[in-house]
Amino acid sequence: MSLHIGAQKGEIAEIVLLPGDPLRAKWIAENYLESPKCYNNVRGMLGYTGTYKGKRVSVQGTGMGIPSALIYCNELIREYGVKKLIRVGSAGAYQSDLELRDVVIAMSASTNSNAFISEFQGVHYAATASYRLFEKATQFAKDNNMPYKAGPILSSDTFYENSKEAYKKWAKYGVLCVEMETAALYTLAAQHKVDALSILTISDSLVTGEEISTEDREASLHDMMKIAFGTIE
């Protein structure tokens, strides 16, 4: 077992879905996986392994933000040999044509985080999705007539901006939406030569101020989860 994940070797599949919320990991396991077994509850960061259409799949909460995501993704890759990591989470829209419950498949992730300053020494690394997973996800969505948008996103260290206009500088350059983990996932995956992808559901809009209620969020995730599982079939 690793420092933050209490699983024994072999208890985690090579394919892992990564919601931020550990309770959402539990919800995904109970609603989508066959015979899910909890392998981790260290610090309440739940993780499960089960099967989906006969294929072993794990789902592991990562917590909120790049520092927390880096801990869990590092341990999954280095200690447990995970080869495919797919983030499934929520995001805030930066573009007016993105509506609540829309699905975004992240091609790349800009960031305002300082987590990689020592690694790149002031040079900006372009954190990008694995093409293999990106192609599979978009093709699955097309084949099943599921609307989606694909493009660049922002992984921010700041959930509450001081200025309500701050999003506009990113929107100007085509950034679709904001969340808090993808840049870490893509950078780490590239370093260790594994595959990573983020599939996101728009839960609120910085443009209109609309948001999905906490009670309705789980019900709004079905399309995102269908694409995620279609990507790993």
Side-chain angles (χ1 to χ4, degrees):
M1 67 180 63
S2 65
L3 188 61
H4 300 90
I5 302 175
Q8 300 297 321
K9 298 293 184 182
E11 288 189 314
I12 300 178
E14 289 190 352
I15 302 168
V16 181
L17 302 181
L18 302 168
D21 184 351
L23 292 180
R24 190 168 294 163
K26 181 176 186 289
W27 180 83
I28 292 170
E30 292 176 346
N31 285 275
Y32 291 93
L33 299 183
E34 296 179 12
S35 304
K37 178 182 178 183
C38 182
Y39 61 74
N40 186 61
N41 59 11
V42 177
R43 296 174 179 253
M45 198 59 69
L46 300 172
Y48 298 82
T49 297
T51 60
Y52 180 81
K53 295 186 177 180
K55 181 173 291 188
R56 289 186 81 228
V57 178
S58 295
V59 53
Q60 173 64 57
T62 64
M64 293 178 67
I66 282 176
S68 185
L70 282 171
I71 289 172
Y72 290 96
C73 292
N74 259 298
E75 294 184 13
L76 288 169
I77 294 168
R78 294 180 178 184
E79 303 296 331
Y80 295 99
V82 174
K83 303 299 183 187
K84 296 180 181 179
L85 303 97
I86 300 177
R87 168 160 158 68
V88 283
S90 56
Y94 275 4
Q95 301 293 336
S96 59
D97 62 345
L98 273 173
E99 299 181 357
L100 298 185
R101 301 179 181 83
D102 280 356
V103 173
V104 171
I105 302 175
M107 294 174 64
S108 61
S110 299
T111 187
N112 55 20
S113 174
N114 290 327
F116 306 109
I117 280 183
S118 60
E119 181 71 19
F120 296 106
Q121 299 183 6
V123 178
H124 297 285
Y125 173 75
T128 308
S130 301
Y131 179 74
R132 284 177 293 229
L133 292 184
F134 181 82
E135 182 183 38
K136 288 189 71 174
T138 55
Q139 190 61 53
F140 178 87
K142 290 174 185 176
D143 290 345
N144 289 273
N145 297 312
M146 301 180 68
Y148 70 92
K149 287 186 170 61
I153 70 165
L154 172 68
S155 296
S156 178
D157 270 353
T158 306
F159 189 88
Y160 295 108
E161 291 278 7
N162 289 327
S163 169
K164 292 184 178 181
E165 305 293 307
Y167 80 91
K168 291 183 178 180
K169 65 184 177 183
W170 296 101
K172 177 181 177 181
Y173 288 92
V175 172
L176 297 178
C177 60
V178 61
E179 48 82 86
M180 301 186 75
E181 293 84 29
T182 297
L185 173 61
Y186 285 4
T187 302
L188 201 62
Q191 178 186 354
H192 293 282
K193 297 178 172 57
V194 299
D195 290 323
L197 183 67
S198 277
I199 305 172
L200 307 166
T201 297
I202 297 300
S203 60
D204 61 285
S205 172
L206 280 295
V207 182
T208 66
E210 296 175 291
E211 61 181 30
I212 299 173
S213 70
T214 302
E215 294 77 18
D216 292 340
R217 286 201 177 197
E218 288 182 350
S220 71
L221 302 180
H222 177 68
D223 284 352
M224 174 181 70
M225 295 309 306
K226 187 175 180 180
I227 295 173
F229 280 110
T231 302
I232 61 178
E233 284 182 12

